[in-house]
Amino acid sequence: MANQDVNDDKKINTITVSVSNHMTKTVFQDKIDTAFDDRGIYLVYSYTEDRQKLNLQYIGKSIDLPGRVTERHEHYKDWLAAADGEDENLSFSIISLPKYTHILHCEAALIFALQPLINTQNKKTYDWDDLKVVFAGRKVCGRDYIVVHRTETPKR
């Protein structure tokens, strides 16, 4: 189960990841080629109507970040629907991973802990080793870190 507490009796693999500022789609696409490693995880948010709060919609992995946040993405229409049909109501962040980090492991942990609206995989079970992900640069969904533990049965 995802939580903010670490069981001191159990050694948990910990990684520290760098989290970018939120960017509009245009800024994201302009900066992505030069500002970030080509391998990472991206977060898609939609703004609330008053633009005061971001809601996490989707977490994705990519070895081709510039090619993923486009109208060709399989969930792009879902992102727009969550953002009242406006590109301007979408926001993106990038999580840069340490070189040794298994990208699928980190993505699964983030999805299981943060439960983004549009993702379907990894929301009910987490079949990887226990992991703590520490966010450097900025919080993710109000958190400084997440801790996830392997599940025995699906989360309800």
Side-chain angles (χ1 to χ4, degrees):
M1 172 180 286
N3 61 47
Q4 291 274 154
D5 300 317
V6 178
N7 180 348
D8 292 331
D9 298 331
K10 191 175 192 180
K11 181 172 171 70
I12 295 177
N13 186 29
T14 300
I15 61 169
T16 299
V17 298
S18 176
V19 182
S20 75
N21 290 327
H22 293 285
M23 297 169 272
T24 64
K25 188 175 97 173
T26 303
V27 171
F28 175 87
Q29 290 174 330
D30 287 346
K31 285 188 172 185
I32 194 66
D33 290 327
T34 57
F36 301 103
D37 188 319
D38 197 31
R39 179 183 170 278
I41 293 175
Y42 59 97
L43 309 176
V44 180
Y45 297 89
S46 63
Y47 285 103
T48 55
E49 288 181 23
D50 59 7
R51 297 185 68 80
Q52 296 298 310
K53 183 179 176 194
L54 290 169
N55 295 313
L56 183 62
Q57 297 297 321
Y58 188 79
I59 295 174
K61 68 186 170 314
S62 185
I63 56 171
D64 175 27
L65 289 169
R68 292 300 288 160
V69 180
T70 70
E71 291 79 6
R72 293 184 311 274
H73 190 282
E74 62 271 19
H75 290 292
Y76 189 78
K77 289 180 181 177
D78 298 323
W79 302 346
L80 279 182
D84 296 327
E86 300 293 330
D87 276 345
E88 304 86 54
N89 290 341
L90 290 174
S91 180
F92 303 88
S93 282
I94 298 296
I95 294 179
S96 299
L97 303 175
K99 295 285 185 210
Y100 61 85
T101 304
H102 193 296
I103 195 168
L104 293 174
H105 184 182
C106 191
E107 179 197 33
L110 291 168
I111 292 169
F112 185 75
L114 301 174
Q115 295 289 305
L117 181 67
I118 296 170
N119 290 86
T120 56
Q121 76 284 10
N122 301 310
K123 288 178 85 169
K124 294 187 179 190
T125 58
Y126 176 74
D127 298 326
W128 296 80
D129 292 336
D130 296 351
L131 182 66
K132 178 178 181 179
V133 180
V134 178
F135 304 121
R138 67 179 301 114
K139 293 181 179 187
V140 173
C141 296
R143 298 181 184 191
D144 293 316
Y145 64 91
I146 59 165
V147 177
V148 292
H149 302 282
R150 180 184 296 271
T151 57
E152 298 298 322
T153 57
K155 187 162 69 169
R156 299 208 189 279

